[in-house]
């Protein structure tokens, strides 16, 4: 019979391995959920826990073609104003009158007129008429009111 190991002396490596294996076996049999305590709910509302939300990784794009710019330079000024007061404004103050798209702002109107008519724009005044159209007066020189 082999001599017993003393308590103070270190255990042989085989015995340590066996002990470790028995401990692992016991843990597997017991399961990992045995020490879990029941969580105390303090609110009557159950809030879903925040989990990992991954971004979409599509295999193909949702839209096959890019959207066309609907407010390009040729669409913004629809047509020139030809009323008596607009023509008088053109003659006296060197100001052009246009009916323009409602959605565009003064910067876009200025760029479009500059591109189409190749002249410098000093000032743009715009208003929306009662019929829903947008009217813009474009002053082409510094002598604007």
């Amino acid at each position: 019979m082999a001599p017993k190991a003393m308590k103070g002396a270190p255990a042989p490596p085989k015995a340590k391995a066996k002990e470790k294996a028995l401990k692992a076996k016991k843990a597997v049999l017991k399961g990992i959920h045995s020490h879990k305590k029941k969580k105390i709910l303090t609110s009557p509302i159950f809030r879903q826990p925040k989990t990992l939300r991954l971004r979409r990784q599509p295999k193909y794009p949702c839209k096959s073609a890019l959207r066309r710019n609907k407010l390009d330079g040729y669409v913004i000024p629809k047509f020139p104003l030809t009323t008596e007061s607009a023509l008088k404004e053109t003659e006296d103050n060197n100001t052009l009158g246009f009916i323009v798209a409602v959605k565009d702002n003064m910067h876009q109107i200025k760029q479009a007129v500059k591109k189409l008519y190749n002249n410098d724009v000093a000032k743009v005044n715009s208003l929306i008429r009662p019929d829903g159209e947008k009217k813009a007066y474009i002053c082409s020189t510094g002598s604007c009111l």
Side-chain angles (χ1 to χ4, degrees), residues 41-70:
L41 298 175
T42 57
S43 170
I45 300 165
F46 174 74
R47 300 211 181 268
Q48 192 77 24
K50 300 277 189 278
T51 56
L52 179 66
R53 290 194 182 138
L54 296 171
R55 291 187 63 99
R56 287 181 168 197
Q57 306 221 330
K59 304 286 185 229
Y60 55 88
C62 291
K63 294 178 182 173
S64 59
L66 292 172
R67 217 168 97 213
R68 166 180 85 79
N69 183 14
K70 291 181 182 172

Side-chain angles (χ1 to χ4, degrees), residues 85-106:
S85 60
L87 293 173
K88 186 174 186 296
E89 192 80 21
T90 303
E91 291 167 5
D92 295 347
N93 299 331
N94 204 9
T95 302
L96 298 168
F98 284 99
I99 296 296
V100 295
V102 178
K103 285 188 176 180
D104 37 84
N105 55 35
M106 295 208 202

